Amino acid sequence: KTSVNDSNLSQTQAQKDAADQNFDYMFKLLIIGNSSVGKTSLLFRYADDSFTSAFVSTVGIDFKVKTVYRNEKRVKLQIWDTAGQERYRTITTAYYRGAMGFLLMYDITNQDSFYAVQDWATQIKTYSWDNAQVILVGNKADLEDDRLVPAEDGQRLADELGFQFFEASAKDNINVKQVFERLVDVICEKMSESVNGEPSPLANHKGPSLQDTPPDKGGCSC
Ligand code: GTP
Ligand code: MG
């Protein structure tokens, strides 16, 4: 009877997603990296397919929920968007422990953000679960003319750190979905390895429960 506009529709969908208990797995993911590299923008592009060129620096931490279908499983993603500013470090590192996967971002037009990747990787090692998976993301790939970090440097650093690597653009929607889906897939691969007799992360008291699933679901064929 009443007409519903697009923004109402998408809000309703977001609320449904957040409340939805019908999923096979829940993964907590964290996006980290220097301020202004585009963490919030990447998340908004992925979750809402929106982008704004205005910079509103994140205060503390925030999250969005999105459910994806991978290998016939419903995977509910709780994606935490952290503030890159140093002054929030104590708050944000408190969230590392529960995360199964990280997107570690830098900006291809900003050398400092790339130099900081090593420090962010050390933070992950210090505060997170040992088996947490990490993807290195060089964002703002649309700004080719302003590029200061060659893609090869990003790839080399990712290889050294044992991370997968993507360049992406939240603005032009390049590799955004791919980055998140790859992270979900590497977490799933790690889970099935563990189930198949590898040392179980469940026995690792530093970390969260590996299978954060509803009580009636068990096993992993993810
Ligand atoms: P903090 O919350 O302070 O940690 O920053 P952030 O990493 O969340 O950065 P944010 O997403 O707020 O983006 C910072 C600025 O970069 C904004 O002005 C965005 O519009 C811009 N930006 C983000 N992603 C891209 C991109 O892919 N390309 C271009 N050209 N600009 C981008
Ligand atoms: Mg932000």
Side-chain angles (χ1 to χ4, degrees):
K1 287 167 217 160
T2 50
S3 69
V4 184
N5 68 29
D6 279 354
S7 84
N8 276 346
L9 266 179
S10 62
Q11 174 148 21
T12 313
Q13 188 56 46
Q15 283 166 350
K16 268 194 197 148
D17 272 357
D20 186 6
Q21 291 301 310
N22 185 19
F23 54 87
D24 297 297
Y25 300 105
M26 173 143 91
F27 292 169
K28 291 179 192 167
L29 312 179
L30 216 67
I31 310 178
I32 64 172
N34 275 15
S35 182
S36 93
V37 298
K39 299 180 294 299
T40 302
S41 303
L42 193 85
L43 180 55
F44 273 62
R45 172 61 78 193
Y46 181 59
D48 304 335
D49 198 17
S50 68
F51 179 81
T52 164
S53 48
F55 178 23
V56 182
S57 194
T58 304
V59 172
I61 189 153
D62 200 0
F63 79 95
K64 280 184 178 285
V65 169
K66 188 168 164 94
T67 302
V68 293
Y69 300 84
R70 299 302 285 170
N71 313 314
E72 289 156 26
K73 300 282 180 206
R74 284 171 67 101
V75 184
K76 186 169 175 172
L77 304 179
Q78 199 180 72
I79 310 164
W80 292 86
D81 171 28
T82 63
Q85 289 181 55
E86 180 77 42
R87 66 178 124 155
Y88 299 113
R89 206 57 43 88
T90 326
I91 305 168
T92 56
T93 50
Y95 287 81
Y96 282 42
R97 225 188 106 161
M100 301 168 82
F102 289 81
L103 295 180
L104 199 179
M105 291 179 69
Y106 67 92
D107 170 354
I108 68 154
T109 71
N110 181 316
Q111 281 283 7
D112 283 350
S113 75
F114 182 65
Y115 295 143
V117 166
Q118 185 67 61
D119 291 336
W120 288 108
T122 305
Q123 300 262 313
I124 295 175
K125 250 195 146 38
T126 309
Y127 295 106
S128 87
W129 174 45
D130 287 340
N131 280 330
Q133 301 298 303
V134 187
I135 292 185
L136 181 65
V137 181
N139 189 40
K140 309 198 186 181
D142 56 289
L143 299 177
E144 192 54 55
D145 291 348
D146 302 323
R147 177 191 287 275
L148 293 175
V149 184
E152 305 78 65
D153 289 10
Q155 183 65 62
R156 193 178 315 118
L157 182 56
D159 290 346
E160 273 170 37
L161 294 166
F163 303 160
Q164 302 231 350
F165 174 66
F166 283 83
E167 283 196 347
S169 167
K171 185 176 182 205
D172 286 1
N173 201 4
I174 301 167
N175 272 345
V176 176
K177 198 166 171 233
Q178 287 82 346
V179 160
F180 283 94
E181 289 185 347
R182 189 70 203 122
L183 184 54
V184 169
D185 288 348
V186 291
I187 293 170
C188 284
E189 282 161 20
K190 195 76 200 175
M191 278 170 67
S192 50
E193 259 177 39
S194 309
V195 169
N196 296 329
E198 292 282 308
S200 168
L202 290 171
N204 179 348
H205 297 294
K206 197 178 154 202
S209 162
L210 178 65
Q211 292 168 22
D212 198 356
T213 59
D216 59 327
K217 307 266 171 66
C220 175
S221 50
C222 188

